[in-house]
């Protein structure tokens, strides 16, 4: 039963002493059972609340109601009790805040260790402002994102702006409007991951994971009239089993410039400049014929190997990144096929009036080369020991 203050009828020294001893016993028991700051507050209110705390009750029941002759003794008893209760509450609070065991003298007890631990758990003690602050690790830009951003920045300095588009794309934007006709074998090169359950839709509306960033060329031309110059960073997906140079999810950077009288010379000059900016001014470029459905003519851009300087050798050893050829394939490019402009001609792209060039490269591949990493999986395995190198 919780302690309750008794009414006194007899104010003799014996009765007062006995009553005071009962109260102190209850106080000691309650002080030692406090285990948390919340319990401390409850304790303080029960004993010291001005309105109906135990100390106030004692004052009312033992002192105010005492007959004249007993006032002096009752007053002294009540005052002593009040001091003890206050000291107990204060000692308890201090022991937690300082983290030191405080002797609460009259209790003949120390505040128990359990109470200290509970307090440390629930409440931070006094703040030592001379301690160094807590340094939280802030992470670092991922090498692929860094590469992509830096490559985009090269083109932004040439006046290009950034464009983006959805990763879940329709057949129309990923293929049809890029001059891959339905059932054309060129689609087979793209190892497409299709979204299930689309058969009831017309083919051009069926959803897939975009296999390249090229659909954003079409989406942007639908929104912006020529002239345009854009770079398009983003993730793409292909149904490739993961190995050292393949990942089913990877990153591309696409470019598109459309205006009147854009020529293959503009394409070569722009990309030559961009490669020198990005890889260093001693890098040479080489354009070799290729095929993409949405460009005509199409080319692959090679840069001279910046690792072996184009010799194909590193000392006596063969240079691996360029497979001893002295050249590294970096991207696909070409002049925008007029068939592509046909799909956006209502947006101001008359194939007879405008011309343009486009290019697309793998950001992960560029990052592998730039940082001399030999396994693309390292970029996506989330191993902090690897990623910390870019912090
Ligand atoms: N979209 C092509 C791919 O993923 C890369 C590419 C080649 C993009 C030529 C272009 C381009 O814009 O002109 O394989």
């Amino acid at each position: 039963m919780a302690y309750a203050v008794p009414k006194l009828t007899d104010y003799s020294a014996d009765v007062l002493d006995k009553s005071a001893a009962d109260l102190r016993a209850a106080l000691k028991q309650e002080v030692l059972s406090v285990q948390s700051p919340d319990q401390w507050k409850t304790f303080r209110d029960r004993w010291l609340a001005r309105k109906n705390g135990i100390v106030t009750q004692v004052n009312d029941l033992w002192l105010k109601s005492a007959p004249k002759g007993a006032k002096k003794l009752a007053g002294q008893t009540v005052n002593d009790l009040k001091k003890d209760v206050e000291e107990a509450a204060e000692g308890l609070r201090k022991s937690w805040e300082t983290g030191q065991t405080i002797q609460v003298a009259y209790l003949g007890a120390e505040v128990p260790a359990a109470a200290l631990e509970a307090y440390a758990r629930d409440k931070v003690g006094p703040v030592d402002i001379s301690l160094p602050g807590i340094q939280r690790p802030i992470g670092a830009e991922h090498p692929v994102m860094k590469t992509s951003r830096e490559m985009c920045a090269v083109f932004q300095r040439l006046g290009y702006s950034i464009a983006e588009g959805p990763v879940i794309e329709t057949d129309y934007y990923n293929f049809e409007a890029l001059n891959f006709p339905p059932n054309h074998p060129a689609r087979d090169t793209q190892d497409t991951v299709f979204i299930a359950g689309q058969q009831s839709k017309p083919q051009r509306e069926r959803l897939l994971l975009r296999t390249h960033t090229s659909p954003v060329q079409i989406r942007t031309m639908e929104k912006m009239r020529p002239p345009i110059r854009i770079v398009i960073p983003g993730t793409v997906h292909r149904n490739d089993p993961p190995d050292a140079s393949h990942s089913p999810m990877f990153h591309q950077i696409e470019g598109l410039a459309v205006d009147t009288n854009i020529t293959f010379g503009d394409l070569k000059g722009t990309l030559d400049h961009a490669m020198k900016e990005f890889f260093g001014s001693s890098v040479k470029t080489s354009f070799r014929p290729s095929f993409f459905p949405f460009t005509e003519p199409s080319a692959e851009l090679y840069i001279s190997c910046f690792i072996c300087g184009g010799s194909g050798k590193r000392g006596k050893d063969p240079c691996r990144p360029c497979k001893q050829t002295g050249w590294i394939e970096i991207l696909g490019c070409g002049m925008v096929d007029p068939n592509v402009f046909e799909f956006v001609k209502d947006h101001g792209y008359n194939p007879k009036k405008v011309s343009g060039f486009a290019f697309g490269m793998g950001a992960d591949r560029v990052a592998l080369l730039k940082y001399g990493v030999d396994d693309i999986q390292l970029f996506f395995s989330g191993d902090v020991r690897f990623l910390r190198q870019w912090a």
Side-chain angles (χ1 to χ4, degrees), residues 319-347:
C319 180
R320 280 219 294 158
C322 69
K323 300 189 192 101
Q324 304 182 64
T325 64
W327 294 93
I328 297 174
E329 187 197 329
I330 285 289
L331 55 77
C333 58
M335 301 306 291
V336 178
D337 193 306
N339 288 347
V340 171
F341 288 135
E342 283 292 337
F343 286 94
V344 286
K345 71 166 178 258
D346 293 346
H347 300 275

Side-chain angles (χ1 to χ4, degrees), residues 190 211-212 214 217 238 252 254-255 292 294-295 332-334 358-360:
Q190 301 272 313
T211 58
H212 49 180
S214 307
Q217 290 189 26
R238 292 202 192 172
Q252 288 192 336
E254 184 94 10
F292 300 101
F294 40 91
T295 44
C333 58
F359 58 88

Side-chain angles (χ1 to χ4, degrees), residues 134-151:
I134 297 165
Q135 292 218 347
R136 291 176 202 287
I138 54 167
E141 191 174 24
H142 191 281
V144 174
M145 294 297 115
K146 184 174 158 73
T147 301
S148 178
R149 183 179 51 74
E150 286 171 0
M151 185 63 85

Side-chain angles (χ1 to χ4, degrees), residues 275-287:
M275 293 303 114
K276 288 183 162 67
E277 277 275 294
F278 189 85
F279 290 106
S281 56
S282 58
V283 149
K284 295 194 198 58
T285 53
S286 166
F287 292 80

